Amino acid sequence: MSIFDDRESAFESKFAHDAEMQFKAEARCNKLLALWAAKKLGKPEDAVAAYVAEVIKSDFEEAGHEDVVRKVAGDLGDASSADEVRLKRAEFLAQVKAELVAEN
């Protein structure tokens, strides 16, 4: 194997690792956002897991995170705004990324 092949392999591995970490961060962030929203909505404990699953599922509607923001903000109605949901999501994403870095 040449040096170029080694570098190509290293870049491919790094890209795959970064993509996996981003996916994990987004999934954990969506879960934390759903738990936060469920608490604001006063959902009973037995309904929280189903709500978390709904929010995570909503992330697959379109690229990006606006589908999740739209879902959660719509569910919260007057209890919150889309801007507050985006802010909480950004806080959770920063927290989750720090946790993932600490884990690795």
Side-chain angles (χ1 to χ4, degrees):
M1 230 186 217
S2 72
I3 292 173
F4 294 110
D5 292 335
D6 290 343
R7 287 187 62 162
E8 180 181 14
S9 178
F11 282 124
E12 288 173 356
S13 294
K14 182 179 181 338
F15 179 81
H17 178 263
D18 290 350
E20 180 183 356
M21 290 295 110
Q22 185 64 29
F23 178 80
K24 285 181 179 182
E26 294 286 336
R28 286 187 189 184
C29 175
N30 290 339
K31 179 179 180 180
L32 290 176
L33 186 66
L35 291 171
W36 170 78
K39 185 175 181 180
K40 275 189 89 103
L41 290 167
K43 294 225 178 243
E45 280 189 44
D46 58 337
V48 171
Y51 183 69
V52 168
E54 282 179 39
V55 171
I56 290 172
K57 184 179 175 185
S58 74
D59 192 25
F60 297 107
E61 292 175 10
E62 62 186 47
H65 61 270
E66 278 302 308
D67 45 357
V68 174
V69 170
R70 200 170 33 254
K71 161 83 173 128
V72 173
D75 291 347
L76 289 171
D78 292 338
S80 183
S81 67
D83 288 336
E84 182 183 14
V85 172
R86 282 186 196 93
L87 181 63
K88 288 306 282 185
R89 188 182 183 288
E91 289 174 18
F92 290 139
L93 188 58
Q95 173 188 335
V96 165
K97 284 183 176 183
E99 290 171 0
L100 285 171
V101 166
E103 289 174 10
N104 291 324

